[in-house]
Amino acid sequence: RTGARTALVTQRLDTIGELSCNPSVGGIGKGHLVREIDALDGLIGRVADEAGVHFRMLNRRKGPAVRGPRAQMDRDLYKDAMQRILNSYDNLSLVEASAQDLLLDELSSSKIIVDASQAASPSANIRGVQVEKADGTSLDITARTVVITTGTFLRGVLMIGHERYSGGRHLRDSEEVEPPSVGLAQTLARYQFPLGRLKTGTPARIDGKTINWDVLKPQPSENPATPFSHLLQFNGEQPPLVAKNTLVTCHQTSTNEDTHKLVMEYEKLLPIYDGMDGAGNGPRYCPSIYKKVQRFPERTGHNCFLEPEGLNTDIVYPNGMSGPYPEEIQQKILRSMLGLEEVEIVRPGYDVEYDFVNPISLQHTLETKSINGLYLAGQICGTTGYEEAAAQGIVAGANAGRAAIADGAGEKKPEPFCIGRDEGYIGVLIDDLVTRGTSEPYRMFTSRAEYRISLRADNADLRLTRKGHEYGLIRDEERLPPPRG
């Protein structure tokens, strides 16, 4: 949208838009981010509205500042919609290849010898990316700027029980894995970026035909729903599947004391991680069932929400039940819960441990301090969640695109596109990361924003669309604000 010719390099074009973990978008704090991205003409909210099959406004009983829109996705519809939009996007080429290394022009004859987070001046200029295609051939893609968004793939290791194998994630409905990104990690280490290890996990997927739905508490979708898209809201329209009333109902169950006994009885079968002396450094606010039971031994139960993964599938996502035990133990734990006494696992849950770069090595534009033209966004910066990644992506992408255009015209680097803490949750997220760094997966909450009373999800367009227009990010003319005065 900045006018820069852009190549999106990914290992498999058919996995663009894949929701690797929970097929949902939004939530408390996260929903604010999605609305802000939509106010800047980003895609996640528009695609979520198109694919949403269950909508709820969280915290509805509280004030508008902390209400968070959330929607459950049909995984296939989300992926199809995202791929359709990207395939027809102006100035965008999709390249199926694996990014192996960075092409750099060093500014001195020696490698930097200081921590990249403390670099006083850049030691290299980005020149592009070296990629490897599916047939094994290598290709150099030259670029004036590069944004790395490796997710969980940076030296990723997958784990089920004591079994460990290299990979960034499992392909859906398959034992096949997508390979990790090793070359990029080695280059970042060579340039003294402060690397660490984080982990995350995804629960088993279960067969909805083997669930006793009758004994469970239903959670129907709201109808009418609150869309993520400001344009839908302005035009008085509903997300398409809400308008058709083609929605799903989620259900609630919970763990019990028998569940907790099994969780602790088999703790010796959990993976041994690289980080934190084998304990692993996972998300504090989206913990595994083992961490919940370990941290809160006085609790007799933890909620589990059974969320269908789409309109044309029987696969159900048991939200809150991640735990990379061996498959037979995962099934035993699930069968101890109400309504799941005869449940069958379709695919076992697993954990992934991966490298991240401490974001104190970045500027507020998300450009690295030590390499000119190199930007980072997403889980590589220590965050967790689709929404946090998308928020970083729009800032990194905007600045990378604008810088590339200026460089191609022989002009100096343009004014950076940054969002202040008083302007949006995107600004809070990025400021927290680059000024404080993170030692654990960072998740957005409304409590992180000191200006949250004015940073509501329902006024994101009033706060950010004009600014986005001034920086050339708004492509949809219908979004353009009326002239001042």
Side-chain angles (χ1 to χ4, degrees), residues 5-13 16 86 91-97 141 149:
R5 291 178 56 218
T6 305
L8 189 160
V9 180
T10 185
Q11 288 183 353
R12 295 179 58 134
L13 295 179
I16 289 177
L86 292 183
N91 298 320
L92 179 65
S93 299
L94 306 181
V95 179
E96 186 169 77
I141 300 176
T149 59

Side-chain angles (χ1 to χ4, degrees), residues 322-365:
S322 69
Y325 294 91
E327 182 174 357
E328 66 274 12
I329 305 304
Q330 292 185 39
Q331 180 157 291
K332 186 178 291 190
I333 290 171
L334 288 168
R335 285 186 171 183
S336 69
M337 299 163 62
L338 180 68
L340 306 183
E341 292 86 354
E342 298 181 4
V343 76
E344 295 289 343
I345 288 178
V346 178
R347 295 186 308 281
Y350 62 92
D351 272 9
V352 55
E353 191 172 34
Y354 55 94
D355 281 357
F356 82 106
V357 174
N358 195 314
I360 58 173
S361 57
L362 307 178
Q363 304 173 45
H364 278 82
T365 58

Side-chain angles (χ1 to χ4, degrees), residues 47 50-53 74-82 84 241 311:
V47 176
E50 187 169 335
V53 292
D74 182 300
R75 293 172 70 116
D76 292 326
L77 292 178
Y78 187 93
K79 184 169 72 169
D80 291 347
M82 185 64 78
R84 184 187 73 248
L241 297 177
L311 298 173

Side-chain angles (χ1 to χ4, degrees), residues 296-322:
F296 306 103
E298 74 283 359
R299 292 282 298 272
T300 58
H302 295 278
N303 287 333
C304 170
F305 297 94
L306 303 176
E307 301 171 337
E309 292 204 340
L311 298 173
N312 300 308
T313 180
D314 292 313
I315 295 177
V316 173
Y317 179 96
N319 193 341
M321 291 301 296
S322 69

Side-chain angles (χ1 to χ4, degrees), residues 147-165:
V147 183
I148 298 179
T149 59
T150 48
T152 61
F153 284 69
L154 204 62
R155 281 198 285 222
V157 176
L158 305 177
M159 305 177 191
I160 301 178
H162 290 166
E163 182 183 3
R164 295 167 58 99
Y165 45 101

